[in-house]
Amino acid sequence: MSLFQIAWRNFWHRSLSSVLTTLSLALGVGLVVLVLSIYGVIHEAFTRNSYVGYNLVVGPKGSPLQLTLNSVFYLSQPIENLPYTEYMEFFDQETRASMVEKFGGDPALADRGGRYAPFVSGGFAIPLALGDYFGEFRVVGTTPEFFEKLRHGENLDQEFTFRDGRALKDYSDEYGYFEAVVGARVAKDMNVGVGDTFNPTHGDPTGHGHDLGFTIVGVMDSTGTPNDRAAFVNLEGFYLMDGHAKPIEASEEEADAGELDADAVADAVPATNPGEFKLLSIPQREVTSILVRNGNVMFAPGMQNAINEGIRSQAAAPVGEINKLMNLIVGPLMSAMLAITLITCFVAAVGVLVAIYNSMNDRRRDIAVMRALGARRETVTAIIVAESLIVAVIGGILGWVFAHAAIAMASGRIEDQTGIQVGFFSTSGYELYILPVVIGLALFAALLPAWSAYRTDVGSNLSA
């Protein structure tokens, strides 16, 4: 009979104690695996979605991390708003002149190109307007360029596709101002589809509902990005809702043709036929943030410095801000949780030590008989070590299986919340080190019982 066979028989001879000890070790291992998996999901969700097809986010002065979380992940609250003229600084003179002609505003805005236009040439600048909700989900006012210019996927080469309907379009006789596109999760949780309408709430999910509603014209396929959790509306329709026009002085109102009385217009023109709405003038417009991609990414640092040196705006690099978040907040938090779970494993290893050591008093005569039949001290010691290794291997494997079974059962909710697809065999690279660490703890736990077995006196225990 081999040493492991003897150790296996000893394991089942004390079945209750052995099983409980193994389960305690499995619990510790399972907790370690869960912490590593949670960290992996969080890390992938943030880092993957920080590579978003644009290299800078421009917004009001404040926390660059808050700006990134708000504009990229639709988390946190907007810092405040920027004047529309700051958005115009990213365009050449011809484009600025067309904006002044279309919306109305200071004619001097059309006399020059934007300060940052040379940096953006060949790239894009896409405005975002935030502040409203559809249920628990953010309503994002933007332009059709959002769907035309942005890409997603690991290589940023995938266009947005639609399960049903289409993307937002510029206003025409066919396409209106009050159109919306919803992400995959919004459509699922809010049970809406193409043709349905909704009235955003102002300020927070429980705020008052706007009188003007949006008609859903598209439902996006799942992208695994924060866009799954947002409802996108035409920026002009967003501006036309009550409370979204920036107040201006009476003299300016008289000078600008873009004055809007939203309530009066709402009474006169149905939301489903918005063709008679008068667009806001430039002084009445604000944006929450601007997604910018430089035509040449080599220009990004220079533009970022130029923006940050100004008094109104700041430019944040999403990749850098998310790395700071992971290194300064998430990383240390997960390290603390990992330390706690490793302590749990250590306590379980001490339980293995106590269980085997307490069994030594009942087994001294058995050990003495083995020695009398010719077994060497090293052989007896090896059997004790083998028992500890059996507990470690079974506990480690069970813990891994339990943890990944829990992950597999929660995979649907994880994907809904983060866009990350996980399964039973989704592993972290750090998990490769778990079993060796557990075996090391088992060897440590076996030292004292093995030493006790090694020192067992044959004569005194046979005559006992």
Side-chain angles (χ1 to χ4, degrees):
M1 185 177 291
S2 68
L3 296 182
F4 271 100
Q5 286 178 311
I6 297 173
W8 182 250
R9 289 171 65 91
N10 288 338
F11 177 88
W12 283 111
H13 180 70
R14 302 173 293 104
S15 58
L16 179 60
S17 175
S18 299
V19 168
L20 292 177
T21 304
T22 303
L23 286 177
S24 67
L25 185 59
L27 176 62
V29 171
L31 289 174
V32 172
V33 173
L34 281 176
V35 169
L36 292 174
S37 297
I38 291 170
Y39 177 77
V41 169
I42 293 174
H43 187 272
E44 183 177 353
F46 275 104
T47 56
R48 186 180 72 177
N49 292 327
S50 64
Y51 296 93
V52 284
Y54 44 89
N55 49 289
L56 291 175
V57 179
V58 178
K61 291 287 188 183
S63 166
L65 177 58
Q66 183 179 357
L67 174 62
T68 299
L69 292 176
N70 179 55
S71 301
V72 179
F73 297 93
Y74 311 126
L75 303 172
S76 182
Q77 292 297 321
I79 301 172
E80 54 182 37
N81 292 322
L82 286 174
Y84 195 81
T85 51
E86 287 293 301
Y87 169 59
M88 294 176 65
E89 295 295 343
F90 293 91
F91 296 94
D92 58 26
Q93 182 180 1
E94 182 180 354
T95 305
R96 288 164 60 93
S98 67
M99 290 179 177
V100 173
E101 181 181 2
K102 181 178 181 180
F103 304 128
D106 186 355
L109 294 172
D111 294 340
R112 64 173 178 85
R115 291 193 301 272
Y116 313 123
F119 296 103
V120 185
S121 179
F124 56 75
I126 300 174
L128 299 182
L130 304 172
D132 287 355
Y133 288 82
F134 175 30
E136 63 178 291
F137 301 102
R138 279 289 176 87
V139 171
V140 181
T142 189
T143 63
E145 279 191 312
F146 187 97
F147 301 96
E148 296 168 1
K149 299 292 183 67
L150 296 187
R151 298 292 183 267
H152 68 97
E154 190 171 342
N155 299 316
L156 293 179
D157 57 356
Q158 300 178 32
E159 297 182 359
F160 293 111
T161 57
F162 292 82
R163 187 181 74 196
D164 194 13
R166 57 171 173 82
L168 298 177
K169 301 290 185 181
D170 289 320
Y171 175 77
S172 67
D173 292 338
E174 184 179 358
Y175 308 120
Y177 294 131
F178 289 87
E179 295 183 341
V181 167
V182 296
R185 189 180 165 208
V186 177
K188 177 182 176 182
D189 288 8
M190 301 302 293
N191 193 29
V192 293
V194 171
D196 293 332
T197 60
F198 67 91
N199 293 66
T201 58
H202 189 69
D204 63 72
T206 59
H208 79 273
H210 288 287
D211 294 332
L212 301 178
F214 288 85
T215 300
I216 297 173
V217 297
V219 176
M220 299 169 65
D221 287 322
S222 178
T223 63
T225 70
N227 296 321
D228 293 342
R229 307 189 303 273
F232 301 92
V233 301
N234 189 298
L235 183 63
E236 299 303 331
F238 185 92
Y239 284 145
L240 291 172
M241 288 190 291
D242 57 295
H244 287 182
K246 179 182 178 181
I248 55 177
E249 298 296 329
S251 59
E252 293 181 345
E253 290 178 355
E254 294 171 358
D256 292 320
E259 182 182 3
L260 171 73
D261 185 341
D263 291 334
V265 176
D267 292 337
V269 183
T272 55
N273 181 28
E276 300 301 322
F277 278 107
K278 186 177 293 184
L279 301 181
L280 297 191
S281 65
I282 289 174
Q284 294 174 293
R285 293 167 172 257
E286 294 180 305
V287 296
T288 304
S289 57
I290 308 163
L291 311 180
V292 180
R293 181 175 180 82
N294 299 93
N296 186 334
V297 293
M298 298 295 291
F299 295 154
M303 187 180 76
Q304 185 175 11
N305 291 335
I307 293 173
N308 289 336
E309 288 171 359
I311 61 174
R312 278 181 173 169
S313 306
Q314 65 169 330
V319 175
E321 295 304 319
I322 293 305
N323 284 336
K324 290 179 185 177
L325 174 67
M326 299 303 298
N327 293 331
L328 297 178
I329 301 176
V330 179
L333 177 62
M334 299 307 294
S335 296
M337 293 179 62
L338 184 60
I340 293 172
T341 56
L342 287 175
I343 291 173
T344 303
C345 283
F346 181 79
V347 171
V350 172
V352 175
L353 183 154
V354 172
I356 297 178
Y357 186 78
N358 287 340
S359 71
M360 294 305 297
N361 288 329
D362 300 329
R363 298 162 60 186
R364 292 187 184 277
R365 181 175 176 81
D366 296 337
I367 293 172
V369 170
M370 292 176 61
R371 291 284 313 284
L373 293 175
R376 295 179 300 173
R377 290 177 183 269
E378 292 80 4
T379 301
V380 175
T381 301
I383 292 173
I384 302 301
V385 172
E387 287 186 45
S388 183
L389 289 176
I390 288 173
V391 172
V393 171
I394 295 177
I397 294 175
L398 280 179
W400 188 92
V401 170
F402 289 161
H404 280 268
I407 293 170
M409 287 188 290
S411 60
R413 184 165 182 80
I414 292 173
E415 184 174 0
D416 286 342
Q417 296 289 335
T418 67
I420 305 300
Q421 295 181 345
V422 294
F424 184 83
F425 292 103
S426 299
T427 60
S428 163
Y430 294 106
E431 292 180 35
L432 298 175
Y433 302 103
I434 292 178
L435 191 57
V437 169
V438 171
I439 290 176
L441 287 174
L443 292 175
F444 167 77
L447 289 178
L448 184 59
W451 176 247
S452 176
Y454 185 86
R455 296 176 61 249
T456 298
D457 181 74
V458 176
S460 62
N461 284 285
L462 284 176
S463 61

